[in-house]
């Protein structure tokens, strides 16, 4: 049974930082492309970042490029998202996703497993 469990969310002031984690189990983590998505109230889920099996290839949404960094530790079966210079518009539930393919994608429906999410709130 595959499980993805996010943690690290919380309340932060604009300009602050948070580090999210996603602990994976029930899958061979190092063979999955991983990603972060986010969903704000009343909005569609949107792509944030994706990372390849080895961590060598990373791709970001324009809205977070230069502020967020996606990384992974295959030895710990854990995905990370370092978020700096947070803005009120970054507030959302952040959700990690796993794709059983080496091909990276920003398309939500092409991911196989999803976590429950962790809430990020940014005060102005």
């Amino acid at each position: 049974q595959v499980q993805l469990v996010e943690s690290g969310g919380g309340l932060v002031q604009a300009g602050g930082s948070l580090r999210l984690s996603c602990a994976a189990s029930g899958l061979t983590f190092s063979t999955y492309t991983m990603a972060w998505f986010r969903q704000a109230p009343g909005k569609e889920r949107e792509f944030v970042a994706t990372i390849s099996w080895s961590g060598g290839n990373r791709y970001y949404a324009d809205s977070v490029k230069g502020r967020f960094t996606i990384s992974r530790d295959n030895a710990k079966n854990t995905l990370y998202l370092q978020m700096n210079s947070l803005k009120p518009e970054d507030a959302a539930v952040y959700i990690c996703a796993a794709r059983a393919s080496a091909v990276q994608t920003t398309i939500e429906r092409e991911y196989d497993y999803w976590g429950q999410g962790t809430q990020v709130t940014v005060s102005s």
Side-chain angles (χ1 to χ4, degrees):
Q1 177 184 355
V2 175
Q3 283 193 314
L4 301 175
V5 181
E6 300 92 337
S7 61
L11 172 64
V12 64
Q13 286 189 329
S17 299
L18 280 176
R19 189 194 196 203
L20 306 183
S21 299
C22 172
S25 60
L27 75 169
T28 305
F29 183 72
S30 60
T31 65
Y32 279 72
T33 292
M34 299 297 295
W36 288 98
F37 288 76
R38 66 187 182 186
Q39 188 165 20
K43 294 188 176 182
E44 297 288 321
R45 187 176 296 183
E46 65 173 355
F47 167 79
V48 174
T50 183
I51 189 167
S52 61
W53 293 356
S54 67
N57 292 318
R58 311 176 193 195
Y59 182 76
Y60 299 91
D62 287 343
S63 59
V64 307
K65 201 173 295 182
R67 300 187 298 121
F68 290 12
T69 301
I70 189 171
S71 62
R72 66 191 296 163
D73 186 336
N74 287 343
K76 294 183 178 179
N77 289 355
T78 303
L79 175 73
Y80 302 100
L81 185 68
Q82 177 67 44
M83 305 187 296
N84 298 331
S85 303
L86 281 160
K87 305 175 181 179
E89 52 263 43
D90 294 319
V93 174
Y94 282 73
I95 307 158
C96 70
R99 171 172 159 83
S101 170
V103 178
Q104 293 176 268
T105 178
T106 65
I107 302 173
E108 178 182 345
R109 67 176 181 273
E110 295 189 354
Y111 284 82
D112 302 295
Y113 301 105
W114 294 86
Q116 293 297 310
T118 185
Q119 178 72 51
V120 171
T121 304
V122 184
S123 63
S124 56

